[in-house]
Amino acid sequence: MGIGGSVTITASGSFLPDVPLRASGLTLPPNIPVHVAVTGHVTRKQTDGLKFFCSFFVDLCAEFAFFLGEDPVPPSGVPTIDAAVAFASWDGADGRRAPESGDILAGPSGSELWVGRSPYFCEYSWFFGTGPCFTLGGGYVYTVHADSGDANGLLRATVTRQALGPAGGTVELEAATSDGSTPEQARWYFVPDGGGVIDGGEPPIVMANGLQSPPDSEPRLTITGRASAGTGASAAPPPLSAPAPAPAPAPAPAPVARASSAVAAASWTSLDSCNDATTCHATIGVPTGTFVVTALVHGTSRAAERRVDGSGGGGGAPELQLQCTPQEVERAQVVTCTAAPVRPGAQMVITGWEFHPDDAHLSTIQRSDVSADQPTWSGKMVTSGNVKVIGTVDGRPADATAHVGVTNRAPLLARFDPPQAIDDPDMSERPYQAAGEQGMFHIGHIHTDAHTIQFTGNLEVINEGPNSALGYFTGNPYETLWAVHINLSQLQPNSQLAHLQRESSPAFEATVSCLRSQLPSLVAPIEEHEGTTMHPKSHAGRYAAKFNELAGPVIERLVVQDNPLQAVDDALEPVIQAADVESAKADVDFRPTLCKLTLFPAPQ
């Protein structure tokens, strides 16, 4: 938290709209030596649609791998394309972009901080339709801090006494330098909290034009961004797109920006009665804010800040501290959070605990057990978020927060036993081949995606700690019910099908026709093609490999709070679609080498 609070430009949904420079609500006395920092990052999680797309166009996605990674985007933006870049200025002047390191602004302050961010948009497009590359989150946080000087002489402000409550109160402050010299020409100010949140995200974009794109449309990636250094929108550079060998439909334009603000400006106050004094007694009408003092230190203008709030003791410092150990764990490891008063000997009373997940799909968890007044909260952690403790210190309200990070385990793979081949009534007693059919369904086929979801032994629900009542997976709950169906009754030398075949081969024949006596020998190559041996190029082998490649990480990181069956079905739906598409390739490059089989005419 900086002088006057902070302002955040959020990121969410499937794309980031342009946020032209705008007033942030952080107002300051002008000409105060300050530096402005931008922290935070935009998180990127690849959509299942992009993963599906890249499972087909591996080389294309490899070419643009730098832009398709899930590394967080810093305030300096996505390199080379000026996307998601943070900007700032004073009082509406031309914006300065965030550097890769260091402050975005430094020097004398203006009257109000202005902030902005350039857009970011990534889309894939192919014959199945279009969709966004990422689900975005996080945001950029702007704070203003006093430039207190350097090792030659720092200006410091301390609170020597305060009596603050919800309606404000009195504060006594003192200014001093690190080397003991006297600050000169001191000026004192109080800056209440302003700023707030600028909604810089959009709802997720769902896949559009499913199965409706022209069949000759080329696979394409479109990644766009543009600088927003001024108050108006600047022209966008050409999209960064994958080259197509033939003309392709124009990519959909980036959605129109609709960033909205929830920021408020708060008027600062000059404490004129404290001018030229190194001490100041002030009365304020709000419980929180920042006192700022400026002074000459060895002839150079410096500033110092001191934040106060209605729950704090001497100096406005936090009265309650919270430590969670470890701060980062692998999923399902135990974390213990411990609260303690900052000041030794202070009386602490805990009144409640909360966990606020980083995942927006999960709700806040309130500690409700009989030990909610204890100074520790411990349990397995399966999702990242903030642990918050609430209580009082020496009778004054206080709280503290600590973040716990959770990392992924190894992917959770499903078990695929080889499917068994059986005769089945879903095949005709008069085998035929439908027009346009790749394989011969009524001779042999596989039901790859038949399955059940088995929670017993695979889903564990946490019963205590910050992640209480959350479910996570210890194994992959997908259990296949697949089966290979072979028309065994017709692949016999005395069947109806056999009577359509020759009894002997002619002397000369361009294509070798099947003989009646050969029909039983067709069973083995058909079984291998369908996957009873789990050959890696068979229908079953391909389905299992693609399923585990995609589903293993998805199930490992899936955390459920209610309706686990729906959560699993939603997570696996695109995985099963991708595995089915992969399995179908066996009819292209792993066809069994068979004699030419004469089938019955297709029914009309």
Side-chain angles (χ1 to χ4, degrees):
M1 194 72 73
I3 300 173
S6 64
V7 63
T8 300
I9 301 180
T10 64
S12 63
S14 301
F15 74 97
L16 300 185
D18 188 27
V19 182
L21 279 171
R22 63 186 63 188
S24 70
L26 292 182
T27 61
L28 280 77
N31 297 317
I32 290 179
V34 296
H35 56 92
V36 180
V38 188
T39 57
H41 53 257
V42 173
T43 60
R44 296 183 289 183
K45 179 182 178 182
Q46 290 185 347
T47 61
D48 291 332
L50 176 66
K51 294 176 182 177
F52 189 24
F53 174 88
C54 289
S55 70
F56 281 84
F57 306 108
V58 176
D59 292 341
L60 176 61
C61 291
E63 182 180 355
F64 290 91
F66 177 78
F67 298 100
L68 298 180
E70 293 185 310
D71 292 339
V73 179
S76 56
V78 181
T80 75
I81 61 172
D82 280 340
V85 179
F87 291 88
S89 74
W90 291 109
D91 304 322
D94 287 344
R96 177 183 173 88
R97 64 181 297 154
E100 293 184 4
S101 62
D103 300 318
I104 190 170
L105 296 174
S109 65
S111 297
E112 184 168 12
L113 181 68
W114 283 47
V115 299
R117 187 202 61 209
S118 65
Y120 179 37
F121 178 67
C122 177
E123 179 187 75
Y124 61 87
S125 177
W126 59 326
F127 49 84
F128 277 144
T130 62
C133 301
F134 300 109
T135 299
L136 304 171
Y140 298 151
V141 181
Y142 295 75
T143 53
V144 182
H145 294 280
D147 180 0
S148 58
D150 51 33
N152 294 325
L154 297 172
L155 183 63
R156 295 171 175 167
T158 56
V159 173
T160 57
R161 184 177 180 182
Q162 72 176 42
L164 288 176
T170 59
V171 181
E172 296 183 4
L173 305 103
E174 182 178 10
T177 63
S178 59
D179 62 0
S181 61
T182 301
E184 298 178 344
Q185 301 179 21
R187 297 292 183 268
W188 293 85
Y189 309 91
F190 177 70
V191 184
D193 286 350
V197 175
I198 296 174
D199 183 3
E202 286 292 336
I205 304 172
V206 298
M207 181 174 288
N209 302 323
L211 303 178
Q212 296 177 7
S213 295
D216 59 345
S217 60
E218 295 293 340
R220 182 172 295 272
L221 287 166
T222 303
I223 309 170
T224 61
R226 71 170 175 267
S228 182
T231 57
S234 58
L240 178 65
S241 301
V256 177
R258 295 201 311 272
S260 60
S261 300
V263 298
S267 299
W268 54 272
T269 302
S270 178
L271 306 175
D272 295 338
S273 61
C274 300
N275 283 353
D276 296 320
T278 57
T279 60
C280 185
H281 177 88
T283 300
I284 55 176
V286 293
T288 59
T290 307
F291 285 93
V292 179
V293 58
T294 65
L296 294 177
V297 179
H298 301 306
T300 302
S301 180
R302 301 298 188 189
E305 63 188 270
R306 188 65 175 182
R307 182 170 176 78
V308 296
D309 61 67
S311 66
E319 284 288 337
L320 198 58
Q321 59 185 343
L322 178 64
Q323 183 175 15
C324 295
T325 54
Q327 293 180 336
E328 183 176 85
V329 293
E330 186 179 81
R331 197 174 328 275
Q333 298 302 306
V334 174
V335 168
T336 299
C337 296
T338 304
V342 173
R343 291 180 289 110
Q347 183 178 6
M348 177 185 71
V349 176
I350 303 301
T351 58
W353 292 81
E354 297 175 352
F355 177 74
H356 299 269
D358 290 346
D359 186 345
H361 297 94
L362 301 175
S363 302
T364 297
I365 297 171
Q366 305 275 353
R367 185 174 185 178
S368 56
D369 57 75
V370 294
S371 59
D373 59 350
Q374 295 302 301
T376 60
W377 200 14
S378 180
K380 289 183 178 180
M381 296 291 294
V382 293
T383 190
S384 302
N386 288 313
V387 179
K388 182 178 182 180
V389 61
I390 305 165
T392 62
V393 176
D394 290 340
R396 291 186 293 272
D399 61 68
T401 301
H403 188 270
V404 176
V406 174
T407 60
N408 297 332
R409 302 163 292 173
L412 298 177
L413 305 182
R415 176 178 173 179
F416 286 93
D417 293 325
Q420 300 301 306
I422 59 172
D423 207 343
D424 194 87
D426 68 353
M427 290 184 290
S428 172
E429 293 181 0
R430 295 170 59 87
Y432 63 89
Q433 184 165 8
E437 193 175 65
Q438 285 274 13
M440 292 182 289
F441 179 87
H442 290 287
I443 293 297
H445 59 263
I446 182 172
H447 296 274
T448 51
D449 57 8
H451 69 278
T452 184
I453 299 299
Q454 180 60 255
F455 289 134
T456 303
N458 294 313
L459 176 65
E460 182 171 327
V461 179
I462 299 172
N463 57 18
E464 62 181 359
N467 283 182
S468 178
L470 294 182
Y472 72 101
F473 289 91
T474 57
N476 198 307
Y478 182 97
E479 290 191 4
T480 182
L481 299 177
W482 60 7
V484 170
H485 294 164
I486 307 292
N487 206 333
L488 299 174
S489 60
Q490 289 299 316
L491 294 176
Q492 299 294 328
N494 59 351
S495 67
Q496 295 183 55
L497 179 64
H499 285 88
L500 296 181
Q501 318 306 317
R502 296 177 185 270
E503 289 194 52
S504 61
S505 298
F508 299 99
E509 187 179 29
T511 303
V512 179
S513 299
C514 292
L515 303 180
R516 294 180 186 179
S517 60
Q518 291 178 308
L519 292 192
S521 67
L522 304 184
V523 173
I526 293 174
E527 287 182 339
E528 184 179 48
H529 167 76
E530 302 299 341
T532 59
T533 64
M534 293 300 287
H535 189 287
K537 297 185 72 174
S538 68
H539 285 294
R542 280 179 147 126
Y543 183 94
K546 178 58 68 173
F547 182 92
N548 272 333
E549 174 192 340
L550 300 179
V554 167
I555 294 299
E556 189 285 322
R557 61 176 178 259
L558 184 62
V559 175
V560 296
Q561 200 163 32
D562 50 34
N563 200 349
L565 182 58
Q566 186 64 53
V568 172
D569 285 346
D570 290 345
L572 290 184
E573 181 179 4
V575 172
I576 292 172
Q577 290 176 355
D580 280 337
V581 172
E582 182 66 22
S583 173
K585 296 178 182 178
D587 285 332
V588 177
D589 61 7
F590 193 62
R591 296 171 64 89
T593 303
L594 304 175
C595 52
K596 183 180 179 182
L597 192 64
T598 302
L599 302 178
F600 288 93
Q604 300 299 318

